[in-house]
Amino acid sequence: MRGHLLQAGVKYCSARRILTKASAMEGKKVLITGATDGIGKHTAARLAKLGATVLLHGRNQHKADEAAKEIQKKIGGQGHVHAYAADMAVLGQVRELASRVQKDHPSIDILINNAGVFPERKILTEDGFEQTWAVNVLAPFLLTSLLVKSVKERIINVSSISASSRIDFDNLNQEKGFSAHNAYSLSKLAMMMFNTELATRLSPPPTANCLDPGTVNTKMLLQGWGPCGIDIEDANHELYLATSPDVANTTGQYFVSDRPRRMPSIVQDISARQRLWNILEEQSGETFPE
């Protein structure tokens, strides 16, 4: 059912406006995290092929360099790909990534918070946070807070149709016992709440939207659920949000198969969103600029 729904979404996507001209993104700069494989790498390649300058992030510098070289070779002279490395589980490295990006590119057009993990056991980061929470929630919150004034057009946050419908503020760090699926679902609900609150605090541009990237046979999906999705080459939902003129002025929405969808009722709870926001500021040690 789930795979069928999102395969239908791919067909719908093809009927909507995704830029295809090789120079369509020329002059645009896009930072995409977690782009050394899977949907992130596919999206990075598509954006570069459209002429964008892609700032490709990976956890390992060698792997990021190899991915950048591979994409650059494939697209020829259409775009430019630059590799950056940082362990998103380490807040200090997230800060260093933001600093390097700002030094090299004082402004960027699009930020795609794509990086994510699905660890099967509880792992605490060196900052003391459960790894799923650290990578899937804290890292994008911190990176966005550090770069938000540099982003000119769009911020895209990756959530999931697997997101939970409730949040236990006393179990954000899996204090009550670890479940890989619960930790992941919690992190994706938190990204919806973060994105919605972010959109209320921004005066577009930039816009801020989140999405389910599709049920795609990535390493993460195979690890958590098995082969139940579509091919990576068909996963163009992040590309749609990054390039389509249809959503250029849309903000604060959650997209599934390129269409806005209702979010869990807790996302509409202003006090809950603000409580989460305050926790993320405290955990990250960073206050969002006004």
Side-chain angles (χ1 to χ4, degrees):
M1 176 70 178
R2 183 178 172 192
H4 175 74
L5 169 66
L6 291 177
Q7 286 181 36
V10 169
K11 294 177 183 177
Y12 176 80
C13 178
S14 66
R16 291 170 68 82
R17 290 196 289 174
I18 292 182
L19 302 179
T20 58
K21 188 177 179 181
S23 60
M25 293 289 289
E26 190 172 344
K28 304 290 187 183
K29 293 183 179 181
V30 184
L31 171 60
I32 177 167
T33 65
T36 57
D37 54 37
I39 299 170
K41 185 178 180 181
H42 170 70
T43 304
R46 289 292 303 273
L47 288 166
K49 190 173 182 179
L50 290 172
T53 295
V54 176
L55 314 182
L56 180 154
H57 158 266
R59 185 168 62 90
N60 175 281
Q61 187 67 58
H62 175 72
K63 193 172 181 180
D65 288 337
E66 289 300 307
K69 290 177 183 176
E70 179 185 334
I71 293 172
Q72 192 69 64
K73 182 178 179 180
K74 184 182 298 184
I75 65 173
Q78 292 167 320
H80 300 281
V81 186
H82 305 282
Y84 291 83
D87 185 346
M88 302 301 272
V90 182
L91 296 180
Q93 291 196 30
V94 176
R95 291 181 180 277
E96 290 173 4
L97 172 63
S99 178
R100 291 197 302 272
V101 168
Q102 285 183 315
K103 180 180 178 181
D104 296 343
H105 308 277
S107 69
I108 59 177
D109 296 279
I110 302 166
L111 168 62
I112 305 177
N113 287 311
N114 169 79
V117 295
F118 186 93
E120 294 182 337
R121 60 186 179 87
K122 185 173 181 177
I123 301 170
L124 290 181
T125 69
E126 65 180 56
D127 298 301
F129 300 107
E130 188 274 316
Q131 188 181 53
T132 316
W133 183 259
V135 175
N136 295 6
V137 185
L138 263 184
F141 178 88
L142 177 58
L143 184 64
T144 304
S145 72
L146 295 170
L147 294 178
V148 66
K149 287 191 172 182
S150 301
V151 183
K152 297 194 297 184
E153 294 185 6
R154 308 184 193 198
I155 297 171
I156 299 166
N157 293 303
V158 174
S159 184
S160 172
I161 59 173
S162 298
S164 177
S165 60
R166 59 181 298 274
I167 185 168
D168 183 350
F169 285 103
D170 296 321
N171 196 38
L172 301 182
N173 219 36
Q174 299 293 292
E175 294 92 341
K176 298 179 181 179
F178 180 77
S179 161
H181 285 86
N182 286 348
Y184 182 81
S185 297
L186 168 65
S187 73
K188 293 308 176 181
L189 172 63
M191 285 305 287
M192 285 186 194
M193 296 174 70
F194 160 56
N195 185 84
T196 302
E197 184 63 20
L198 175 63
T200 66
R201 294 175 181 236
L202 294 176
S203 297
T207 60
N209 292 293
C210 62
L211 80 157
D212 171 78
T215 306
V216 185
N217 287 330
T218 60
K219 290 190 300 184
M220 184 185 297
L221 183 81
L222 296 176
Q223 178 182 353
W225 290 272
C228 59
I230 61 175
D231 292 337
I232 291 173
E233 291 72 21
D234 294 324
N236 293 316
H237 302 309
E238 288 186 17
L239 180 71
Y240 172 77
L241 275 190
T243 66
S244 177
D246 293 337
V247 293
N249 299 310
T250 300
T251 194
Q253 297 296 311
Y254 165 59
F255 285 81
V256 178
S257 298
D258 303 334
R259 297 184 234 191
R261 294 292 178 89
R262 288 178 60 88
M263 290 177 275
S265 58
I266 188 66
V267 180
Q268 308 307 326
D269 186 329
I270 297 174
S271 63
R273 292 202 315 263
Q274 292 178 345
R275 181 180 180 183
L276 175 63
W277 188 277
N278 292 337
I279 289 171
L280 293 175
E281 286 193 332
E282 180 179 355
Q283 290 180 342
S284 68
E286 191 67 35
T287 300
F288 253 77
E290 292 295 331

Coordinates of all heavy atoms in Angstrom, one line a residue, residues 118-159:
F118 N 19.4 5.7 11.0 CA 18.4 4.8 11.6 C 19.2 3.7 12.3 O 19.3 2.6 11.9 CB 17.5 4.2 10.5 CG 16.4 3.3 11.1 CD1 15.2 3.8 11.3 CD2 16.6 1.9 11.3 CE1 14.1 3.0 11.8 CE2 15.6 1.1 11.8 CZ 14.4 1.6 12.0
P119 N 19.9 4.0 13.5 CA 20.7 3.1 14.2 C 19.8 2.0 14.8 O 18.7 2.3 15.4 CB 21.4 3.9 15.2 CG 20.6 5.1 15.4 CD 19.9 5.4 14.1
E120 N 20.3 0.8 14.8 CA 19.5 -0.3 15.4 C 19.6 -0.5 16.9 O 18.8 -1.1 17.5 CB 19.9 -1.7 14.7 CG 19.6 -1.7 13.2 CD 20.0 -3.0 12.6 OE1 20.9 -3.7 13.1 OE2 19.4 -3.4 11.5
R121 N 20.6 0.2 17.4 CA 20.8 0.1 18.9 C 21.0 1.5 19.4 O 21.4 2.4 18.6 CB 22.0 -0.8 19.3 CG 23.3 -0.3 18.7 CD 24.4 -1.4 19.0 NE 25.7 -1.0 18.4 CZ 26.5 -0.2 19.0 NH1 26.3 0.3 20.3 NH2 27.7 0.1 18.5
K122 N 20.9 1.7 20.7 CA 21.0 3.0 21.3 C 22.5 3.4 21.3 O 23.3 2.7 21.9 CB 20.4 3.1 22.7 CG 20.5 4.5 23.3 CD 19.7 4.6 24.6 CE 19.8 6.0 25.1 NZ 19.0 6.2 26.4
I123 N 22.8 4.5 20.7 CA 24.2 5.1 20.7 C 24.2 6.5 21.2 O 23.4 7.3 20.7 CB 24.8 5.0 19.3 CG1 24.8 3.6 18.7 CG2 26.2 5.6 19.3 CD1 25.2 3.5 17.3
L124 N 25.0 6.8 22.2 CA 25.0 8.2 22.7 C 26.2 8.9 22.0 O 27.3 8.3 21.9 CB 25.2 8.2 24.2 CG 24.0 7.8 25.0 CD1 24.4 7.9 26.5 CD2 22.8 8.6 24.7
T125 N 26.0 10.1 21.5 CA 27.0 10.9 20.9 C 28.0 11.4 21.9 O 27.7 11.4 23.1 CB 26.4 12.0 20.1 OG1 25.9 13.0 21.0 CG2 25.3 11.5 19.1
E126 N 29.1 12.0 21.5 CA 30.0 12.6 22.4 C 29.4 13.8 23.1 O 29.9 14.2 24.2 CB 31.3 13.0 21.7 CG 31.2 14.1 20.7 CD 32.5 14.4 20.0 OE1 33.2 13.5 19.5 OE2 32.9 15.6 20.1
D127 N 28.3 14.3 22.6 CA 27.6 15.4 23.3 C 26.6 14.9 24.2 O 25.9 15.7 24.9 CB 26.9 16.3 22.2 CG 27.9 17.0 21.3 OD1 28.8 17.7 21.8 OD2 27.9 16.8 20.1
G128 N 26.4 13.6 24.3 CA 25.4 13.0 25.2 C 24.0 12.8 24.7 O 23.1 12.5 25.5
F129 N 23.8 12.9 23.4 CA 22.5 12.7 22.9 C 22.3 11.4 22.1 O 23.3 10.9 21.6 CB 22.1 13.8 21.9 CG 22.2 15.2 22.6 CD1 23.2 16.1 22.3 CD2 21.2 15.6 23.5 CE1 23.3 17.3 22.9 CE2 21.2 16.8 24.1 CZ 22.3 17.7 23.8
E130 N 21.1 10.8 22.2 CA 20.9 9.6 21.4 C 21.1 9.9 19.9 O 20.7 11.0 19.4 CB 19.4 9.1 21.6 CG 19.1 7.8 21.0 CD 18.6 7.9 19.6 OE1 17.8 8.8 19.3 OE2 19.1 7.1 18.8
Q131 N 21.7 9.0 19.2 CA 22.3 9.4 17.9 C 21.2 9.7 16.9 O 21.3 10.7 16.1 CB 23.0 8.2 17.3 CG 23.8 8.5 16.0 CD 24.5 7.3 15.5 OE1 23.9 6.2 15.3 NE2 25.8 7.4 15.2
T132 N 20.0 9.1 16.9 CA 19.0 9.4 16.0 C 18.5 10.8 16.2 O 18.3 11.6 15.2 CB 17.7 8.4 16.1 OG1 18.2 7.1 16.3 CG2 16.8 8.6 15.0
W133 N 18.3 11.2 17.4 CA 17.9 12.6 17.7 C 19.0 13.6 17.3 O 18.6 14.6 16.8 CB 17.6 12.7 19.2 CG 17.1 14.0 19.7 CD1 17.8 15.0 20.3 CD2 15.8 14.5 19.5 NE1 17.0 16.1 20.6 CE2 15.7 15.8 20.1 CE3 14.6 13.9 19.0 CZ2 14.6 16.6 20.1 CZ3 13.4 14.7 19.0 CH2 13.4 16.0 19.6
A134 N 20.2 13.2 17.6 CA 21.3 14.2 17.3 C 21.4 14.5 15.8 O 21.5 15.6 15.4 CB 22.6 13.6 17.9
V135 N 21.4 13.4 15.0 CA 21.6 13.6 13.6 C 20.3 14.1 12.9 O 20.4 15.0 12.0 CB 22.1 12.3 12.9 CG1 22.2 12.4 11.4 CG2 23.4 11.8 13.5
N136 N 19.2 13.5 13.2 CA 18.0 13.8 12.5 C 17.3 15.1 12.9 O 16.5 15.6 12.1 CB 17.0 12.6 12.6 CG 17.5 11.3 12.0 OD1 18.6 11.2 11.5 ND2 16.6 10.3 12.0
V137 N 17.6 15.5 14.1 CA 16.9 16.7 14.6 C 17.8 17.8 15.0 O 17.7 19.0 14.5 CB 15.9 16.4 15.8 CG1 15.1 17.6 16.2 CG2 15.0 15.2 15.4
L138 N 18.7 17.5 16.0 CA 19.6 18.6 16.5 C 20.5 19.2 15.4 O 20.7 20.4 15.3 CB 20.4 18.0 17.6 CG 19.9 18.2 19.1 CD1 21.0 17.7 20.0 CD2 19.7 19.7 19.3
A139 N 21.1 18.3 14.6 CA 22.0 18.8 13.6 C 21.3 19.7 12.6 O 21.9 20.8 12.3 CB 22.7 17.6 12.9
P140 N 20.2 19.4 12.0 CA 19.6 20.3 11.1 C 19.1 21.6 11.8 O 19.1 22.7 11.2 CB 18.4 19.5 10.5 CG 18.2 18.3 11.4 CD 19.5 18.0 12.0
F141 N 18.6 21.5 13.0 CA 18.2 22.7 13.7 C 19.4 23.6 13.9 O 19.4 24.8 13.6 CB 17.7 22.3 15.1 CG 17.3 23.5 16.0 CD1 16.0 24.0 15.9 CD2 18.2 24.1 16.8 CE1 15.6 25.1 16.6 CE2 17.8 25.2 17.6 CZ 16.6 25.7 17.5
L142 N 20.6 23.1 14.3 CA 21.8 23.9 14.5 C 22.3 24.4 13.2 O 22.6 25.6 13.1 CB 22.8 23.0 15.2 CG 24.2 23.7 15.5 CD1 24.0 25.0 16.3 CD2 25.2 22.8 16.1
L143 N 22.4 23.6 12.2 CA 22.9 24.1 10.9 C 22.0 25.2 10.3 O 22.6 26.2 9.8 CB 23.0 22.9 9.9 CG 23.6 23.2 8.6 CD1 25.1 23.6 8.7 CD2 23.5 22.0 7.6
T144 N 20.7 25.0 10.4 CA 19.8 26.0 9.9 C 19.9 27.3 10.7 O 19.9 28.4 10.1 CB 18.4 25.5 10.0 OG1 18.3 24.2 9.2 CG2 17.4 26.5 9.3
S145 N 20.1 27.2 12.0 CA 20.2 28.4 12.8 C 21.4 29.2 12.4 O 21.4 30.4 12.5 CB 20.2 28.1 14.3 OG 21.4 27.5 14.7
L146 N 22.5 28.5 12.1 CA 23.8 29.2 11.8 C 23.8 29.7 10.3 O 24.5 30.7 10.0 CB 24.9 28.2 11.9 CG 25.2 27.7 13.4 CD1 26.2 26.5 13.4 CD2 25.7 28.8 14.2
L147 N 23.0 29.2 9.5 CA 23.0 29.6 8.1 C 21.8 30.3 7.6 O 21.7 30.8 6.5 CB 23.2 28.3 7.2 CG 24.5 27.6 7.3 CD1 24.4 26.3 6.3 CD2 25.7 28.4 6.9
V148 N 20.7 30.4 8.4 CA 19.5 30.9 8.0 C 19.6 32.3 7.4 O 18.9 32.6 6.4 CB 18.4 30.9 9.2 CG1 18.8 31.9 10.3 CG2 17.0 31.2 8.6
K149 N 20.4 33.2 7.9 CA 20.6 34.5 7.3 C 21.3 34.5 6.0 O 21.3 35.5 5.2 CB 21.3 35.4 8.3 CG 20.4 35.8 9.5 CD 21.0 37.0 10.2 CE 20.1 37.5 11.3 NZ 20.7 38.6 12.1
S150 N 21.9 33.4 5.6 CA 22.6 33.2 4.4 C 21.8 32.6 3.3 O 22.1 32.6 2.1 CB 23.9 32.4 4.5 OG 24.8 32.9 5.5
V151 N 20.6 32.0 3.7 CA 19.8 31.3 2.7 C 18.8 32.3 2.0 O 18.0 32.9 2.7 CB 19.0 30.1 3.4 CG1 18.2 29.4 2.3 CG2 20.0 29.2 4.1
K152 N 18.9 32.4 0.7 CA 18.1 33.4 0.0 C 16.7 32.9 -0.4 O 15.8 33.7 -0.6 CB 18.8 33.9 -1.2 CG 20.2 34.6 -0.9 CD 20.7 35.3 -2.0 CE 21.1 34.4 -3.2 NZ 21.7 35.1 -4.3
E153 N 16.5 31.6 -0.7 CA 15.3 31.2 -1.3 C 14.5 30.1 -0.5 O 13.3 30.3 -0.2 CB 15.5 30.7 -2.7 CG 16.0 31.8 -3.7 CD 16.2 31.3 -5.1 OE1 15.8 30.1 -5.4 OE2 16.7 32.1 -5.9
R154 N 15.1 28.9 -0.3 CA 14.3 27.8 0.2 C 15.1 27.0 1.2 O 16.3 26.8 1.1 CB 13.9 26.9 -0.9 CG 13.2 27.6 -2.1 CD 12.7 26.6 -3.1 NE 12.3 27.3 -4.4 CZ 11.6 26.7 -5.3 NH1 11.1 25.5 -5.2 NH2 11.3 27.4 -6.4
I155 N 14.4 26.6 2.3 CA 14.9 25.6 3.3 C 14.0 24.4 3.2 O 12.8 24.5 3.2 CB 14.9 26.2 4.7 CG1 15.9 27.4 4.8 CG2 15.3 25.1 5.7 CD1 15.8 28.2 6.1
I156 N 14.6 23.3 3.0 CA 13.8 22.0 2.9 C 14.3 21.0 4.0 O 15.5 20.7 4.1 CB 14.1 21.4 1.5 CG1 13.6 22.4 0.4 CG2 13.3 20.1 1.4 CD1 14.0 22.0 -1.0
N157 N 13.3 20.6 4.7 CA 13.6 19.6 5.8 C 13.0 18.3 5.5 O 11.8 18.2 5.2 CB 13.1 20.2 7.2 CG 13.9 21.4 7.6 OD1 15.1 21.4 7.7 ND2 13.2 22.6 7.8
V158 N 13.7 17.2 5.7 CA 13.2 15.9 5.4 C 12.5 15.3 6.7 O 13.1 15.1 7.7 CB 14.3 15.0 5.0 CG1 13.8 13.6 4.8 CG2 14.9 15.5 3.6
S159 N 11.2 15.0 6.5 CA 10.5 14.3 7.5 C 10.1 12.9 7.0 O 10.9 12.4 6.2 CB 9.2 15.1 7.9 OG 8.5 14.5 8.9

